[in-house]
PDB file of all heavy atoms in Angstrom:
ATOM      1  N   ALA A  32      83.792 115.511 111.240  1.00  0.00           N
ATOM      2  CA  ALA A  32      83.006 115.450 112.473  1.00  0.00           C
ATOM      3  C   ALA A  32      82.397 114.067 112.723  1.00  0.00           C
ATOM      4  O   ALA A  32      81.898 113.762 113.731  1.00  0.00           O
ATOM      5  CB  ALA A  32      81.899 116.456 112.421  1.00  0.00           C
ATOM      6  N   ASP A  37      81.690 102.612 108.768  1.00  0.00           N
ATOM      7  CA  ASP A  37      82.512 101.996 109.734  1.00  0.00           C
ATOM      8  C   ASP A  37      82.606 100.515 109.291  1.00  0.00           C
ATOM      9  O   ASP A  37      81.740  99.615 109.601  1.00  0.00           O
ATOM     10  CB  ASP A  37      81.804 102.097 111.119  1.00  0.00           C
ATOM     11  CG  ASP A  37      82.720 101.668 112.191  1.00  0.00           C
ATOM     12  OD1 ASP A  37      83.905 101.190 111.855  1.00  0.00           O
ATOM     13  OD2 ASP A  37      82.314 101.715 113.389  1.00  0.00           O
ATOM     14  N   MET A  72      87.849 106.199 100.197  1.00  0.00           N
ATOM     15  CA  MET A  72      87.746 105.737 101.598  1.00  0.00           C
ATOM     16  C   MET A  72      89.008 105.813 102.365  1.00  0.00           C
ATOM     17  O   MET A  72      90.135 105.765 101.720  1.00  0.00           O
ATOM     18  CB  MET A  72      87.175 104.259 101.615  1.00  0.00           C
ATOM     19  CG  MET A  72      87.914 103.366 100.734  1.00  0.00           C
ATOM     20  SD  MET A  72      87.027 101.735 100.707  1.00  0.00           S
ATOM     21  CE  MET A  72      87.306 101.274  99.029  1.00  0.00           C
ATOM     22  N   THR A  78      87.422  96.088  95.034  1.00  0.00           N
ATOM     23  CA  THR A  78      87.793  95.250  93.923  1.00  0.00           C
ATOM     24  C   THR A  78      86.692  95.407  92.804  1.00  0.00           C
ATOM     25  O   THR A  78      85.549  95.262  93.201  1.00  0.00           O
ATOM     26  CB  THR A  78      87.921  93.822  94.273  1.00  0.00           C
ATOM     27  OG1 THR A  78      88.675  93.676  95.479  1.00  0.00           O
ATOM     28  CG2 THR A  78      88.505  92.904  93.266  1.00  0.00           C
ATOM     29  N   ILE A  84      91.724  97.666  93.242  1.00  0.00           N
ATOM     30  CA  ILE A  84      91.882  99.070  92.856  1.00  0.00           C
ATOM     31  C   ILE A  84      93.015  99.826  93.763  1.00  0.00           C
ATOM     32  O   ILE A  84      92.958  99.585  94.951  1.00  0.00           O
ATOM     33  CB  ILE A  84      90.572  99.912  93.035  1.00  0.00           C
ATOM     34  CG1 ILE A  84      89.453  99.284  92.241  1.00  0.00           C
ATOM     35  CG2 ILE A  84      90.791 101.391  92.751  1.00  0.00           C
ATOM     36  CD1 ILE A  84      89.638  99.471  90.746  1.00  0.00           C
ATOM     37  N   GLY A 121      81.479 114.606  76.277  1.00  0.00           N
ATOM     38  CA  GLY A 121      82.821 114.119  76.618  1.00  0.00           C
ATOM     39  C   GLY A 121      83.291 112.832  75.813  1.00  0.00           C
ATOM     40  O   GLY A 121      84.395 112.486  75.963  1.00  0.00           O
ATOM     41  N   ARG A 227      68.522  91.425  96.133  1.00  0.00           N
ATOM     42  CA  ARG A 227      69.136  91.353  97.441  1.00  0.00           C
ATOM     43  C   ARG A 227      68.984  92.691  98.079  1.00  0.00           C
ATOM     44  O   ARG A 227      68.805  93.712  97.463  1.00  0.00           O
ATOM     45  CB  ARG A 227      70.580  90.895  97.383  1.00  0.00           C
ATOM     46  CG  ARG A 227      70.700  89.435  96.921  1.00  0.00           C
ATOM     47  CD  ARG A 227      72.026  88.853  97.409  1.00  0.00           C
ATOM     48  NE  ARG A 227      73.121  89.571  96.941  1.00  0.00           N
ATOM     49  CZ  ARG A 227      74.369  89.661  97.504  1.00  0.00           C
ATOM     50  NH1 ARG A 227      74.486  89.013  98.616  1.00  0.00           N
ATOM     51  NH2 ARG A 227      75.333  90.349  96.891  1.00  0.00           N
ATOM     52  N   VAL A 299      43.440 117.633 105.135  1.00  0.00           N
ATOM     53  CA  VAL A 299      42.866 117.461 103.753  1.00  0.00           C
ATOM     54  C   VAL A 299      43.945 117.043 102.826  1.00  0.00           C
ATOM     55  O   VAL A 299      44.924 117.749 102.724  1.00  0.00           O
ATOM     56  CB  VAL A 299      42.208 118.838 103.254  1.00  0.00           C
ATOM     57  CG1 VAL A 299      41.655 118.605 101.836  1.00  0.00           C
ATOM     58  CG2 VAL A 299      41.078 119.245 104.191  1.00  0.00           C
ATOM     59  N   THR A 310      50.932 121.264  93.153  1.00  0.00           N
ATOM     60  CA  THR A 310      51.852 122.292  93.735  1.00  0.00           C
ATOM     61  C   THR A 310      51.406 123.697  93.274  1.00  0.00           C
ATOM     62  O   THR A 310      51.468 124.641  94.098  1.00  0.00           O
ATOM     63  CB  THR A 310      53.260 122.036  93.180  1.00  0.00           C
ATOM     64  OG1 THR A 310      53.696 120.793  93.639  1.00  0.00           O
ATOM     65  CG2 THR A 310      54.225 123.094  93.553  1.00  0.00           C
ATOM     66  N   ASN A 412      72.516 123.378 107.634  1.00  0.00           N
ATOM     67  CA  ASN A 412      73.002 122.223 106.776  1.00  0.00           C
ATOM     68  C   ASN A 412      73.558 121.055 107.620  1.00  0.00           C
ATOM     69  O   ASN A 412      73.635 119.988 107.209  1.00  0.00           O
ATOM     70  CB  ASN A 412      74.247 122.769 105.913  1.00  0.00           C
ATOM     71  CG  ASN A 412      73.761 123.583 104.792  1.00  0.00           C
ATOM     72  OD1 ASN A 412      72.678 123.342 104.205  1.00  0.00           O
ATOM     73  ND2 ASN A 412      74.498 124.562 104.408  1.00  0.00           N
ATOM     74  N   TYR A 453      54.553 112.841 110.760  1.00  0.00           N
ATOM     75  CA  TYR A 453      53.123 112.444 110.791  1.00  0.00           C
ATOM     76  C   TYR A 453      52.540 112.762 112.140  1.00  0.00           C
ATOM     77  O   TYR A 453      51.452 113.320 112.284  1.00  0.00           O
ATOM     78  CB  TYR A 453      52.933 110.893 110.521  1.00  0.00           C
ATOM     79  CG  TYR A 453      53.437 110.509 109.168  1.00  0.00           C
ATOM     80  CD1 TYR A 453      53.963 109.159 108.944  1.00  0.00           C
ATOM     81  CD2 TYR A 453      53.462 111.308 108.065  1.00  0.00           C
ATOM     82  CE1 TYR A 453      54.405 108.738 107.727  1.00  0.00           C
ATOM     83  CE2 TYR A 453      53.957 110.995 106.808  1.00  0.00           C
ATOM     84  CZ  TYR A 453      54.459 109.619 106.687  1.00  0.00           C
ATOM     85  OH  TYR A 453      54.866 109.266 105.386  1.00  0.00           O
TER      86      TYR A 453
END
Side-chain angles (χ1 to χ4, degrees):
Chain A
D37 190 359
M72 52 188 145
T78 311
I84 301 290
R227 290 204 303 155
V299 177
T310 297
N412 287 323
Y453 299 153

